[in-house]
């Protein structure tokens, strides 16, 4: 009796005597581990070549150790200084600064710091360069304050010192504020002067243009994809090659071809003038503006819309539309109520693909966009390769990434991310 | 077994090429195109002839040199030996500690008459890390068939859209454009940077540019203006003088130079900081050879940029293929250099970030 109850309530055992649950878990774990080992090379590859470098780059948007590392004593000494009094720091700060600068100039670090602070206050670059050259020759027995002011009167300016103090913490929100046209001041966060605000409007323009490009890709790509999936194989293959051919052509070649077509003295304008639709001085401005960017990028990104649409449309049995029609639906109803809803996963996939690609594009806008057709990525490229302000570039990049993630989240809420299919 | 053999074979091949590479290869970074070709003919080929164990590899990355050098420096793996950059980039690299400091008098060749290198280069040694090679200028070219009987004579004609209707192309950056705007708004040449330092001065420059804003096509690559001129898209445009020379003399387009208020700029060599001792020594040896008086004069045979040494100027001869005298096409030729403007490097290093933001905001308005 007792043993029977035990059998009924006790754990079920596997053949080797261990509880079946545990044995099963172990087997599953082993299976998962094996699966993980199979993907491990790819996982490691992505981690090392993609996640880590991007993480490192994004981290630069807040990193600011350079000030406290180059001027450790000055930063400590400045803690007691109250910039709101409008008075210069005391002699102790200048002495600490002298000590720091001698070491920095010896290791050639002062000019790098100058470039960093120049992003915040114009003139810092030459101030540090000049001071670094003279700091060795200063008389250590005399008060340093006058000697520094003697080198450059900017050392007698409270603004110089409050900028150093403001950017002395190891991490700064300064780059992020800059990326949304704000700036860090001793009185808190302020909007940048009106004549220096560029980034918010650029982000907005990037979004609007990317949406426009996605939409025009959909408008042009949908009928093509429909044709491709419904024509007999012979003609649809030919059409497919026509879709893919530009896809295989170099991006620069295609962009330059658009220049030839669209410019004032270009093929389109000349033809329109020749057949009398336009007057000679009423030529259309099709390039070096947002129109140029939209036209060229729609063309370049079109295959990314057509291909997912095509592969989804291919899977829709033609019998559905025939069934709808035989039940009395008009052509339009059959299309709109029966066919179109089944292509939504393809539209979703194509739209996401085109939009994400468009938002990060930079070479085409740079070449055909003039001033009103450039994207935020053009400024990111400028700060990476020209101004060397990598912190700001990283902040702009992070903001763009965050914007894309928000849009992705919205898409998931409205359409549902499960409802995306590549075929 | 076979696999093992193959692997051993491959490994030894790699080791061999790697060994050969470290012994002889020297990577020189430059701008590509006609410019790199002129360096190949004037510097690389003679150097390799004199030093048969050195093999020079060309890399055309000068446009991204600053960013790439910083990335290499952070990664601790510098693959370049000598890099050709413009002076403002050299100053930036020097400031960032990414370029080697070079003492002109001990590490560069003196002039044939014994003048020291620092005196021969003179004011053109704008940074401790920079060895100037050529003087180029950013100047205007115009379509001779689109300006009627009165070709433009001063830079201010660029701002005169009444007499010279049509588009103009200007570079998409504040540098040079703000200076020209102020010069044409009545500011004296020597006061330009003092005026530009003030808020009012900057507003004045932008206001002057406002008057032609609707007529401007902004370029970002040096090849754009020559193309726009050739297509008749613009009536005049700024670009580097060497590009205009190629357009006028080699491609025979109806274009002429407007040398007035040309802005001199410098291009030259830097050696990346942090190279291993032997490669640094090799790079310095190359620099010593490539920046001597004769070599700098030789480069002018292939491209219309002025040599940076004073002692090279009298040696400038004829174009290697066209056979025309190169001296009248040099930006430094007295006839062309009647009214010139020297780009103020220090000033722009300070104000570039600030004015660039303002310029971009102005463009977007």
């Amino acid at each position: 009796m007792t043993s029977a109850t035990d059998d009924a309530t006790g754990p079920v055992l596997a053949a080797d005597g261990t509880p079946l649950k545990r044995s099963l878990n172990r087997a599953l774990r082993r299976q998962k581990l094996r699966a993980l080992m199979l993907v491990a090379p790819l996982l490691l590859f992505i981690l090392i070549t993609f996640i880590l470098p991007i993480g490192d780059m994004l981290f630069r948007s807040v990193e600011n150790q350079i000030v406290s590392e180059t001027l450790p004593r000055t930063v400590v000494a400045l803690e007691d200084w109250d910039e709101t009094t409008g008075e210069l720091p005391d002699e102790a700060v200048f002495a600490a600064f002298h000590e720091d600068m001698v070491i920095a100039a010896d290791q050639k670090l002062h000019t790098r710091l100058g470039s960093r602070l120049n992003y915040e206050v114009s003139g810092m670059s030459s101030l540090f360069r000049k001071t670094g050259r003279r700091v060795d020759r200063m008389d250590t027995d005399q008060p340093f304050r006058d000697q520094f002011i003697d080198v450059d009167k900017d050392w007698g300016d409270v603004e110089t010192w409050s900028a150093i103090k403001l950017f002395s913490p190891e991490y700064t929100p300064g780059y992020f504020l800059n990326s949304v046209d704000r700036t860090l001041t001793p009185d808190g966060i302020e909007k940048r002067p009106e004549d220096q605000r560029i980034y918010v409007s650029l982000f907005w323009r990037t979004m609007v243009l990317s949406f426009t490009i996605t939409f025009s890709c959909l408008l042009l790509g949908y009928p093509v994809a429909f044709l491709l999936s419904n024509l007999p194989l012979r003609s649809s293959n030919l059409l497919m090659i026509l879709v893919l051919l530009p896809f295989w052509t170099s991006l620069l070649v295609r962009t330059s071809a658009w220049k030839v077509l669209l410019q004032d003295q270009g093929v389109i304008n000349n033809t329109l003038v020749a057949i009398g639709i336009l007057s000679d001085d009423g030529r259309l401005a099709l390039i070096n503006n947002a129109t140029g960017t939209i036209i060229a990028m729609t063309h370049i990104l079109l295959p990314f819309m057509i291909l997912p649409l095509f592969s989804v449309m291919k899977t829709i049995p033609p019998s559905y539309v025939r069934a709808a029609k035989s039940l009395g639906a008009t052509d339009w109803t059959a299309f709109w109520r029966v066919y179109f809803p089944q292509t939504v996963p393809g539209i979703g996939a194509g739209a996401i693909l085109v939009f994400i690609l468009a938002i990060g594009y930079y070479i085409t806008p740079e070449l055909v966009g003039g001033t009103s057709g450039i994207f935020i990525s053009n400024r990111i490229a400028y700060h990476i390769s020209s101004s060397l302000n990598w912190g700001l570039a990283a902040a702009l990049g992070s903001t763009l990434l965050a914007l894309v993630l928000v849009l992705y989240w919205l898409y998931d809420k409205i359409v549902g991310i499960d409802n995306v299919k590549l075929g | 077994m076979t696999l093992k053999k193959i692997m051993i074979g491959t490994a030894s091949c790699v080791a061999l090429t790697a060994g050969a590479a470290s012994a002889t290869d020297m990577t020189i970074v430059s701008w590509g195109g006609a410019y790199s070709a002129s360096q190949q003919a004037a510097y690389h080929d003679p150097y390799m002839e004199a030093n048969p164990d050195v093999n020079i590899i060309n890399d055309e990355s000068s446009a991204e040199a600053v960013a790439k050098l910083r990335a290499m420096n952070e990664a601790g793996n510098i693959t370049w030996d000598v890099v050709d950059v413009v002076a403002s980039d050299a100053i930036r690299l020097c400031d960032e500690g990414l370029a080697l400091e070079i003492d002109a008098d001990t590490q560069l060749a003196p002039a044939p008459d014994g003048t020291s290198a620092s005196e021969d280069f003179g004011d053109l040694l704008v940074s401790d890390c920079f060895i100037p090679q050529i003087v180029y200028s950013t100047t205007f070219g115009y379509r001779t068939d689109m300006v009627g009987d009165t070709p433009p004579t001063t830079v201010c004609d660029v701002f005169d859209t009444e007499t010279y209707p049509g588009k103009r192309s200007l570079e998409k950056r504040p540098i040079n454009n703000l200076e020209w705007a102020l010069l044409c708004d009545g500011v004296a040449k020597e006061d330009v940077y003092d005026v530009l330092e003030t808020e009012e001065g900057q507003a004045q420059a932008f206001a002057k540019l406002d008057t032609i804003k609707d007529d401007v096509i902004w370029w970002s690559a040096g090849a754009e203006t020559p193309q726009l001129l050739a297509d008749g898209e613009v009536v005049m445009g700024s670009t580097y003088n060497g590009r205009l020379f190629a357009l006028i003399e080699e491609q025979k387009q109806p274009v002429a130079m407007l040398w007035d208020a040309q802005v001199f700029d410098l291009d030259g060599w830097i050696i990346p900081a942090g190279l291993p001792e032997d490669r640094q020594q090799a790079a310095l040896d190359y620099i010593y050879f490539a920046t001597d008086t004769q070599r700098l004069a030789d480069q002018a045979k292939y491209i219309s940029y002025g040599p940076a040494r004073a002692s090279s100027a009298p040696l400038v001869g004829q174009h290697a293929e066209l056979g025309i005298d190169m001296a009248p096409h040099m930006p430094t030729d007295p006839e062309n250099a009647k009214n010139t403007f020297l780009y103020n490097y220090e000033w722009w290093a300070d104000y570039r970030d600030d004015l660039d933001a303002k310029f971009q905001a102005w463009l977007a308005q």
Side-chain angles (χ1 to χ4, degrees), chain A residues 60 108 111-112 118 122 125-126 129 195-196 198 263-265 366 370-371 379 382 387-388 390, chain B residues 66-67 70 74 92 95-96 101 172 217-218 220 231 233 346 349-350 352-354 356 358 360-361:
Chain A
R60 288 169 193 268
K108 311 242 168 274
T111 46
R112 194 180 293 200
N118 202 65
S122 288
S125 178
S126 66
R129 204 179 306 125
D195 62 352
Q196 292 181 29
I198 37 180
Q263 60 188 8
D264 273 7
Q265 309 292 327
E366 182 74 40
T371 56
R379 295 314 293 161
Y382 167 79
S387 79
L388 274 198
W390 286 8
Chain B
V66 184
R70 188 200 250 188
E74 284 185 9
R92 215 163 261 249
D95 278 356
E96 294 268 335
E101 286 191 13
K172 204 194 280 179
I217 295 177
W218 301 97
S220 43
D231 289 350
E233 280 285 296
E346 287 246 325
D350 277 347
R352 181 167 153 172
D353 298 314
D354 200 24
D356 192 75
K358 286 184 181 160
Q360 293 297 333

Side-chain angles (χ1 to χ4, degrees), chain A residues 75-130:
Chain A
V75 167
V76 172
L78 270 176
E79 271 169 21
D80 301 328
W81 174 59
D82 183 7
E83 67 268 25
T84 50
T85 58
E87 278 176 35
L88 279 179
D90 55 18
E91 181 60 25
V93 172
F94 278 94
F97 184 62
H98 175 257
E99 207 175 328
D100 284 335
M101 274 300 275
V102 170
I103 297 169
D106 188 45
Q107 297 173 336
K108 311 242 168 274
L109 295 172
H110 61 297
T111 46
R112 194 180 293 200
L113 178 63
S115 311
R116 162 66 188 100
L117 290 172
N118 202 65
Y119 298 140
E120 315 298 339
V121 181
S122 288
M124 285 290 204
S125 178
S126 66
L127 181 62
F128 273 87
R129 204 179 306 125
K130 193 175 181 187

Side-chain angles (χ1 to χ4, degrees), chain A residues 7 12-13 21 39 44 54 59 100 143 226 262 292 306 327 331 338 341 354 362 385 418:
Chain A
D7 278 353
V12 186
L13 299 182
K21 210 172 174 184
V39 295
L44 271 177
I54 287 195
F59 182 60
D100 284 335
F226 182 79
L262 295 176
I306 294 178
L327 289 171
D331 281 356
V338 176
V354 170
Y362 101 103
S385 63
D418 300 336

Side-chain angles (χ1 to χ4, degrees), chain B residues 1-121:
Chain B
M1 194 63 184
T2 15
L3 185 69
K4 201 174 165 187
K5 263 186 201 158
I6 293 172
M7 280 172 75
I8 292 174
T10 330
S12 43
C13 273
V14 170
L16 266 178
T17 40
S22 63
T24 59
D25 282 355
M26 180 186 281
T27 307
I28 297 188
V29 182
S30 188
W31 299 93
Y35 191 68
S36 279
S38 73
Q39 289 176 327
Q40 182 75 39
Y43 310 150
H44 303 349
D45 288 341
Y47 185 75
M48 284 194 282
E49 209 165 288
N51 300 273
D53 56 325
V54 176
N55 175 37
I56 291 177
I57 299 167
N58 283 299
D59 185 325
E60 305 181 349
S61 307
S62 279
E64 309 94 60
V66 184
K68 284 198 173 173
L69 274 172
R70 188 200 250 188
M72 284 183 195
N73 187 279
E74 284 185 9
N77 180 20
I78 296 155
T79 57
W80 292 347
D81 294 285
V82 181
V83 188
D84 188 299
V85 288
V86 292
S88 56
D89 281 345
I91 292 174
R92 215 163 261 249
L93 286 167
C94 210
D95 278 356
E96 294 268 335
L98 299 172
L100 186 73
E101 286 191 13
I102 288 162
D103 179 31
D105 282 339
T106 56
Q107 291 174 301
L108 298 178
D113 62 359
T115 315
S116 69
S118 60
E119 232 172 278
D120 205 11
F121 283 111

